[in-house]
Amino acid sequence: MLARHQDPIVAIATAPGRGAVGIVRVSGRGLDALVQAVCGRTLKPREATYLPFRDAQGQAIDQGLALYFPGPHSYTGEDVLELQAHGGPVVLQLLLARCLEAGAATDPATGQPNLRGLRVAQPGEFTERAFLNDKIDLAQAEAIADLIDASTEAAARSASRSLTGAFSAEIHGLRDALIHLRMLVEATLDFPEEEIDFLRKADAHGQLSNLQQTLASVMQRARQGALLREGIKVVIAGQPNAGKSSLLNALAGAELAIVTPIAGTTRDKVQQTIQIEGVPLHIIDTAGLRDSEDEVERIGIARAWDEIAGADAVLFLHDLERADAPEYIAGDADIANAMAQKMPKSIPVIDVWNKLDRAPGAAAAAGENARPGVHLSARTGEGLDGLRRLLLEVAGWQSAPEGLYIARARHVEALQAVGAHLQEAADQLQAQGPALDLLAEELRLAQNALSAITGEFSSDDLLGVIFSSFCIGK
């Protein structure tokens, strides 16, 4: 544990701005003198007390509720004081300053500061203390931030399940089974003449196979949970006046982008997050792709290509009204060739044939030579449901299984590493004259990758990255 983790900390724990209630939170060891200085009395543990919060001269800064949670029975595992005041920014800043002042003041009885080293908390430091003091594991700590940041109801419910330990329980189950198998393998290293028979009798192969099957199930749910948290970035691309802005408006259900018959109206990206079955989709409308002499439009087109290159999926929009026009066909072909050169092949492209209401007879003809896609009318909404289903399919979303938990990209990557190590272990076990020391090492690496998810095996750098994304006061 770093030296800074020993410091008492204080912060405003509610969001910036005005509100009915605001909270100032203090965490550390030995808060009795600070409580007496700010509240003017001792507090009963875990009992809300209505009283004035006093400045150094004994004058009331505000009146509100004070709650005291002695460690280890608190959020952080340390002593915690929460001051719930009126939610004005000035009032909360005065309370924060008063806590810092009272912490630095000298206790007449001891001649020492009331709370040595009290400082303003860094982002996520209260939750980091909870993790370091074994109140929660790392996956649960991340779930707190995910619950706060959830953009859909499904994401919030899944984050709540992770916070209660559903995801961690799955990881611990895998870890325990892996530890049991490691014990069997490492025990045989001391008895080389009996090692193969011993592992055969213990059904090491069957245990490893069961581990791989369980891991596959956990990974499938983790991928779904990561989709709920991260969503996918979908870029709408195509020639000018194909209906890109109209499609964005139709998917979002609001007039976000300006729509005119003038080519080149959209010159910069317009973005909106929507949800389909609880999955966030970050839809980006871009400038029409064409050769242009207009400097501003060229900048917009360059930005469009940047967005396309970084997309999770691209909607290549085509205009059914112009589907038979030679110039339009040539323009679409140029865009398709540029996509093939500038985009990673792993990015899926969905052909969307728009303006079905204006050219209903062109749908079949367009579909004959086009890649699998969808025909729709952004103006009337016909075909939009088919596009939504196709987007979920491209994202890899399946019907949300019961009890789905939130997950992050790093969790999925860690599980993939576990799978790779288990496969290496299986290959060693099936080989003629297996090298059990290599088998044991692969199992150890698999366990380390699992433990990185819950924080049992993690670096300080990783913790710094994770908790720095939290809000101050959490």
Side-chain angles (χ1 to χ4, degrees):
M1 187 177 293
L2 301 177
R4 70 178 180 84
H5 296 142
Q6 307 296 330
D7 297 339
I9 53 175
V10 60
I12 298 171
T14 41
R18 301 175 186 274
V21 177
I23 298 174
V24 173
R25 176 182 291 161
V26 187
S27 180
R29 292 177 174 83
L31 300 186
D32 293 343
L34 177 70
V35 170
Q36 185 69 42
V38 176
C39 300
R41 52 170 291 182
T42 60
L43 299 173
K44 291 183 179 180
R46 292 172 293 281
E47 182 176 300
T49 305
Y50 182 69
L51 46 70
F53 307 129
R54 301 192 180 278
D55 62 19
Q57 288 72 45
Q59 300 298 312
I61 297 172
D62 192 12
Q63 293 208 142
L65 295 176
L67 296 99
Y68 176 55
F69 303 89
H73 305 296
S74 69
Y75 177 70
T76 63
E78 303 170 336
D79 296 344
V80 171
L81 173 66
E82 286 195 358
L83 306 175
Q84 300 185 7
H86 292 95
V90 174
V91 173
L92 295 178
Q93 287 294 336
L94 287 172
L95 277 178
L96 177 64
R98 174 56 182 146
C99 288
L100 290 167
E101 177 189 38
T106 301
D107 186 342
T110 64
Q112 299 294 321
N114 286 330
L115 200 56
R116 185 186 299 275
L118 179 63
R119 59 174 173 80
V120 176
Q122 297 178 9
E125 196 166 1
F126 288 94
T127 303
E128 185 179 20
R129 297 283 176 96
F131 164 70
L132 293 172
N133 292 323
D134 296 323
K135 304 298 290 186
I136 54 176
D137 64 29
L138 192 55
Q140 289 174 296
E142 291 170 305
I144 293 170
D146 294 337
L147 183 59
I148 294 170
D149 294 337
S151 59
T152 68
E153 180 182 346
R157 291 185 182 278
S158 297
S160 180
R161 292 189 190 99
S162 289
L163 179 55
T164 59
F167 183 39
S168 300
E170 297 263 20
I171 300 304
H172 290 152
L174 279 168
R175 181 204 61 190
D176 292 345
L178 187 52
I179 289 173
H180 184 265
L181 182 56
R182 282 190 66 194
M183 289 171 56
L184 287 175
V185 173
E186 293 183 14
T188 63
L189 295 177
D190 295 328
F191 306 97
E193 68 280 358
E194 301 176 7
E195 58 189 22
I196 302 303
D197 287 340
F198 183 79
L199 289 178
R200 187 178 297 114
K201 290 177 182 178
D203 192 23
H205 184 275
Q207 290 188 43
L208 183 54
S209 178
N210 289 338
L211 257 173
Q212 289 177 300
Q213 292 177 15
T214 304
L215 175 65
S217 176
V218 173
M219 189 179 297
Q220 189 273 333
R221 290 197 296 278
R223 285 196 179 103
Q224 299 295 289
L227 267 179
L228 277 182
R229 180 184 184 273
E230 308 287 349
I232 63 170
K233 177 182 175 181
V234 180
V235 175
I236 306 174
Q239 296 188 59
N241 279 356
K244 297 183 298 298
S245 297
S246 297
L247 180 58
L248 172 66
N249 292 344
L251 288 170
E255 296 297 319
L256 301 175
I258 298 173
V259 177
T260 75
I262 302 172
T265 297
T266 302
R267 298 195 171 200
D268 205 351
K269 68 177 183 180
V270 180
Q271 180 170 336
Q272 178 67 18
T273 297
I274 66 171
Q275 60 168 302
I276 304 175
E277 294 186 18
V279 179
L281 272 72
H282 312 293
I283 310 292
I284 300 174
D285 176 26
T286 59
L289 303 176
R290 64 173 179 176
D291 292 328
S292 175
E293 299 298 325
D294 187 297
E295 180 65 22
V296 176
E297 187 178 0
R298 283 207 305 271
I299 294 172
I301 291 169
R303 290 181 178 179
W305 280 115
D306 289 342
E307 294 295 336
I308 291 168
D312 295 314
V314 174
L315 300 182
F316 188 0
L317 205 63
H318 309 278
D319 185 346
L320 283 172
E321 281 192 300
R322 294 180 283 168
D324 295 329
E327 289 185 2
Y328 187 79
I329 294 172
D332 268 6
D334 290 341
I335 293 172
N337 290 334
M339 284 184 177
Q341 295 173 12
K342 298 181 180 183
M343 287 172 47
K345 293 183 179 179
S346 58
I347 299 177
V349 177
I350 299 173
D351 284 301
V352 179
W353 295 89
N354 187 31
K355 304 184 183 179
L356 186 59
D357 56 313
R358 298 182 182 177
E368 289 176 359
N369 299 318
R371 291 169 296 200
V374 61
H375 297 78
L376 55 78
S377 168
R379 189 175 68 86
T380 67
E382 182 182 358
L384 281 181
D385 286 342
L387 177 59
R388 294 187 179 102
R389 288 192 297 271
L390 191 54
L391 282 170
L392 289 180
E393 181 181 330
V394 165
W397 178 252
Q398 301 169 6
S399 296
E402 189 66 27
L404 184 65
Y405 40 72
I406 206 77
R408 294 188 171 199
R410 82 168 189 92
H411 301 154
V412 175
E413 290 170 3
L415 291 172
Q416 289 172 338
V418 174
H421 289 305
L422 290 184
Q423 185 57 53
E424 288 288 339
D427 292 342
Q428 287 290 340
L429 194 57
Q430 292 172 356
Q432 291 290 334
L436 293 190
D437 53 344
L438 296 179
L439 171 60
E441 176 65 8
E442 290 297 340
L443 295 179
R444 184 188 70 82
L445 292 172
Q447 183 181 339
N448 285 349
L450 269 182
S451 297
I453 294 175
T454 54
E456 297 163 85
F457 181 86
S458 58
S459 67
D460 288 335
D461 288 342
L462 172 64
L463 299 183
V465 170
I466 290 173
F467 288 108
S468 65
S469 65
F470 281 55
C471 52
I472 294 175
K474 198 62 181 176

